[in-house]
Short mmCIF file of all heavy atoms in Angstrom, two decimals:
data_model
loop_
_atom_site.label_atom_id
_atom_site.label_comp_id
_atom_site.label_asym_id
_atom_site.label_seq_id
_atom_site.Cartn_x
_atom_site.Cartn_y
_atom_site.Cartn_z
N VAL A 53 7.77 48.07 130.98
CA VAL A 53 9.22 48.06 130.76
C VAL A 53 9.76 49.46 131.08
O VAL A 53 10.49 49.64 132.04
CB VAL A 53 9.57 47.64 129.33
CG1 VAL A 53 11.09 47.61 129.13
CG2 VAL A 53 8.97 46.27 129.00
N ALA A 54 9.43 50.44 130.27
CA ALA A 54 9.63 51.87 130.55
C ALA A 54 10.95 52.19 131.23
O ALA A 54 10.98 52.86 132.26
CB ALA A 54 8.46 52.39 131.39
N ASN A 55 12.06 51.71 130.63
CA ASN A 55 13.36 51.92 131.28
C ASN A 55 14.32 52.72 130.41
O ASN A 55 15.54 52.63 130.58
CB ASN A 55 13.98 50.59 131.67
CG ASN A 55 14.12 49.63 130.50
OD1 ASN A 55 13.80 49.97 129.35
ND2 ASN A 55 14.60 48.44 130.79
N ASP A 56 13.81 53.49 129.46
CA ASP A 56 14.64 54.44 128.72
C ASP A 56 13.87 55.75 128.59
O ASP A 56 12.80 55.92 129.19
CB ASP A 56 15.06 53.87 127.36
CG ASP A 56 13.89 53.57 126.44
OD1 ASP A 56 12.80 54.14 126.65
OD2 ASP A 56 14.06 52.78 125.50
N ALA A 57 14.39 56.69 127.81
CA ALA A 57 13.77 58.01 127.74
C ALA A 57 12.39 57.99 127.10
O ALA A 57 11.61 58.93 127.29
CB ALA A 57 14.68 58.97 126.97
N SER A 58 12.04 56.93 126.36
CA SER A 58 10.69 56.85 125.80
C SER A 58 9.64 56.64 126.88
O SER A 58 8.44 56.74 126.61
CB SER A 58 10.60 55.72 124.76
OG SER A 58 10.69 54.45 125.37
N ALA A 59 10.09 56.37 128.12
CA ALA A 59 9.14 56.29 129.24
C ALA A 59 8.42 57.62 129.45
O ALA A 59 7.33 57.65 130.04
CB ALA A 59 9.87 55.89 130.52
N LEU A 60 8.99 58.71 128.98
CA LEU A 60 8.30 60.00 129.04
C LEU A 60 6.95 59.92 128.33
O LEU A 60 6.01 60.63 128.70
CB LEU A 60 9.15 61.08 128.37
CG LEU A 60 10.47 61.43 129.06
CD1 LEU A 60 11.35 62.26 128.13
CD2 LEU A 60 10.20 62.16 130.37
N TYR A 61 6.86 59.05 127.33
CA TYR A 61 5.60 58.85 126.60
C TYR A 61 4.80 57.69 127.19
O TYR A 61 3.60 57.82 127.45
CB TYR A 61 5.90 58.56 125.13
CG TYR A 61 4.70 58.15 124.31
CD1 TYR A 61 3.89 59.09 123.71
CD2 TYR A 61 4.37 56.81 124.14
CE1 TYR A 61 2.78 58.70 122.96
CE2 TYR A 61 3.27 56.41 123.40
CZ TYR A 61 2.48 57.36 122.81
OH TYR A 61 1.38 56.98 122.09
N TRP A 62 5.44 56.53 127.41
CA TRP A 62 4.72 55.32 127.78
C TRP A 62 4.32 55.27 129.24
O TRP A 62 3.22 54.81 129.57
CB TRP A 62 5.58 54.10 127.44
CG TRP A 62 5.81 53.94 125.98
CD1 TRP A 62 6.93 54.29 125.28
CD2 TRP A 62 4.89 53.43 125.02
NE1 TRP A 62 6.77 54.02 123.95
CE2 TRP A 62 5.53 53.49 123.75
CE3 TRP A 62 3.60 52.91 125.09
CZ2 TRP A 62 4.91 53.05 122.58
CZ3 TRP A 62 2.98 52.47 123.93
CH2 TRP A 62 3.64 52.54 122.69
N ASN A 63 5.21 55.67 130.12
CA ASN A 63 4.93 55.60 131.55
C ASN A 63 5.89 56.52 132.28
O ASN A 63 7.04 56.16 132.54
CB ASN A 63 5.10 54.16 132.05
CG ASN A 63 4.69 53.99 133.50
OD1 ASN A 63 4.54 54.95 134.24
ND2 ASN A 63 4.51 52.75 133.92
N PRO A 64 5.45 57.75 132.62
CA PRO A 64 6.37 58.70 133.26
C PRO A 64 6.95 58.20 134.58
O PRO A 64 8.01 58.67 135.00
CB PRO A 64 5.51 59.95 133.46
CG PRO A 64 4.09 59.48 133.36
CD PRO A 64 4.11 58.32 132.42
N GLY A 65 6.29 57.23 135.21
CA GLY A 65 6.85 56.67 136.44
C GLY A 65 8.14 55.93 136.20
O GLY A 65 8.95 55.77 137.11
#
Side-chain angles (χ1 to χ4, degrees):
V53 181
N55 56 2
D56 62 21
S58 70
L60 294 167
Y61 172 88
W62 295 100
N63 185 345

